[in-house]
Amino acid sequence: MGASTARLAALLLLLLAAAAAAAAVGECVYIPYNTSAGVVGGKLNVHVVPHTHDDVGWLKTVDQYYVGSNNSIQGACVQNVLDSLAFFQRWWRQQSDMIKDIVKGLISTGRLELINGGMCMHDEATVHYIDMIDQTTLGHRFIKEEFGQIPRIGWQIDPFGHSAVQAYLLGTEVGFDAFYFFRIDYQDRDTRKGTKELEVVWRGSKTFGSSADIFAGIFPKNYEPPPGQFYFEVDDTSPIVQDDPLLFDYNVEQRVDDFVAAAIAQANITRTNHVMFTMGTDFKYQYAESWFRQMDKLIHYVNKDGRVNALYSTPSIYTDAKHAENVPWPLKTNDFFPYADNPNAYWTGYFTSRPALKRYVRVMSGYYLAARQLEFFKGRSNSDLTTDSLADALALAQHHDAVTGTEKQHVANDYAKRLSIGYTQAEKLVSSSLSCLSQSGSKSHCPSQTTNFEQCPLLNITYCPPSEMDLSQGKSLVVLVYNSLGWKREDVLRIPVISDSIVVHDSEGREVESQLLPIANASLHMREKHVKAYLGMLPAAKPKFWLAFPVSVPPLGFNTYFISSGKKSASVSLMSTLHSSQGSENSNMQIGQGQLKLQYNAAGALSLYSNSKTQKYKYYIGQDGNGSDPQASGAYIFRPNCTVPIKTDGQVPLTVLRGSILDEVHQQINPWIYQINRVYKGKDYVETEFIVGPIPVDDGNGKELSTEVVTNMATNKTFYTDSSGRDFIKRIRDYRSEWKIEVHQPIAGNYYPVNLGIYVEDGSRELSILVDRSVGGASIKDGQIELMLHRRLLHDDGRGVAEALNETTCFDNQCEGLVIQGKYYLKIDPQGEGARWRRTFGQEIYSPLLIAFAEQDGGNWVNSHVTKFSAMDPAYSLPDNVALLTLQAGEHKDLSALASVDLKRVFPDKKIVKIVETSLSANQERSAMEKKRLKWKVEGPPADEKIVRGGPVDPSKLVVDLGPMEIRTFLVNFAPQSGKQLM
């Protein structure tokens, strides 16, 4: 018999043996699994929720994750998975009409649920509320247009701590009925398990009280399947449900017991007879059949067993089941920061990680706000330049592994690249819009545009080619200054110039007071290196001075200034007076105008306002993970080993510049920290500019740099930080209001995210510091505030990114540690008066004046162009506590009453034919949202609260009232145009 015949005979013998075994065990038949169960009263209901969590960038870029490339880093291909909207949108574009119809059918019947609905699962610590709104609105608009659906569940399962703004603004105000998440402090979680308070009603806003309540569910352990091995990806090691009696390893009873045990364990820490099993985790369901086959079996056999009831469910079904129980829930206030997952692992480092990227995101956000306004004024055309590319890039950048700085370096580069591409498109739109608006008669239509406006995105590194032009040949520089805020702005511009023979005129032809300040060598050094790194070449010109001059700009409008070569009038233009502390016999040096004084001693130590307030630097040496606890300081985690004060020894003399507009003190703190303190005439705050880096690590130690202000204020362990740029929340050192904290990390455990500012008070004064990007901040001692500005670390912190936070910049094939430049602002006010400055000036930091330049060579600009423009009624400006495009009101005692906005005067050249108030993300009418939103019972007596909100808008009067901290969204239709959206 041949070999093939022998193999066939052996196979037949094996088949006969198997048949004999089947006869002995029992007959095997097809089993139709019953998965149709719904909620059953009187039983423990286990809601099986299949889900996947797919980051839009982390270890791989968003595109690499989608197509499944670069799998040497991580085996993940999201084309095979439906999850975040950014991925879903990519997938949706590629589908046939047949597939689209199937998906729409699944969504309409509730079998596939779109939850959260933003373009990404945004972070909650390092993001600004305007960006949170924008990216959520972008996603909600897509869902409404494509599917006619309105998401009703928040699903923030992976951000590293959770903000009050997320609960009430991006929860209640967008119409969500519930909000589910995972990451809270391990001590908090253990406490809540014991008291069955993992599910609560979260009241995130003191201002809105119970009207902003939302049901919040915290997962017992993580967002993965419950304990008991229920992972069913093709290559997972969990035991499958082997229900074929003809085969070995039959285990139905064991797997049912495992499932029931997990359900009962979760029920023991949960209220009501409903628990949720989150069946999935990161990048799962790439082969969905392997999951659903096992879940079908589990549901079928668990329900045959009868001890508990298992059902396929969604977060909405689970929420409705919880609400139907009609029981009161524990009340949660404030937020869930900071987050720690073990005693020495506080996730407070990422509040500062990648500070350059954080600043880039913030700058692009403010620019996007202004660009959208100009796009609106010019008239949007989808076939023309739009802000869409920048909108998409900014939406991705809000992801919880993007702006957080917790991604791999090549992924951070990808986010920055997308922002740069988006900016390039928006920059062209802005230039086109300004050209349109500045030409005579362009208020109603755009003539042919002949003016070429340039902008200076690298002004932060002292590079601005338009302002560095040679004006000696009779040319003049046109400076158009746009104000995106709804009130008149008085500010000081600073631009680099090459000559000291310069004069500034306003649009009326009046000479404007100006001041020249020599550019510091530290700034020129940074300019030379970084311009070459960005552009691949050295800049042609080398500016010598900063030209500073005051500007006045109308609300939602622009003003024009002219810079030319000429003899300066001594009365209005001055070169700064240069002083040096070297050789000075005076022990103290004082600068500043009016009541604001900065005082330096002989060693260069700075006192603010008085000798009782000093500012200095220090760094923390990051733990390297070599001790008994291997936890290192890294991109996520701040774990200091020791603190090293940085002494200002006075060896490098101070440089002091005095002038009629501002005074500056330049100080080389040490070889890698340069600082400039500025005090402006007529302003009562201090602006501090810092250049930090490269942080040296040649001693083998990673370092985390902080600046601190120390005062004699008695602050009683208390300080205040903002929540995503909005509400300020009271913090108490080494204390949590809802659980007793065991302190293991007295520094890292008291750091909080700072997006807008931080302040302390002592009953008579307030000390406030505002920032230009997200940073970590704390008050480690009474009367003290510190901000972490930069981090450079040499070890990974073991949270998945597998890369040290060691950013570098390369020039001529040589790389060195990242250098950052930034600013913060400090002010002292009488008790209760600081909120006005924090709100109004904080909005100005977020929305800086937009500057565009044009060259005038002969001719008369004033005769051929509009030099001053406001989209609003010239005699009208918004109240101090109201800002467009997100209409907001503050908490200052004078700003906390109802504020009114007259839309007829905001849009004097347009006729409003229809106005409808909507949810925050503009995907449903507000009245309908309020009617259908679930109301939740809360334990304890009803709150004694006075909630102030604006009422309905009279369509004839068109006046919008705003209560304190209120944001209202309206869809406004204009005649003859339609669909213009104000938000």
Side-chain angles (χ1 to χ4, degrees), residues 901-904 912 915 951-961 968 970:
V901 178
D902 187 338
L903 295 182
K904 290 180 180 179
I912 297 175
I915 180 169
V953 176
D954 185 331
S956 62
K957 295 180 180 178
L958 294 174
V959 174
V960 177
D961 290 330
R968 300 180 69 178
F970 296 88

Side-chain angles (χ1 to χ4, degrees), residues 850-868:
L850 190 156
I851 311 170
F853 303 89
E855 180 183 324
Q856 181 180 224
D857 190 1
N860 191 322
W861 184 279
V862 175
N863 291 339
S864 59
H865 292 79
V866 175
T867 58
K868 198 169 185 179

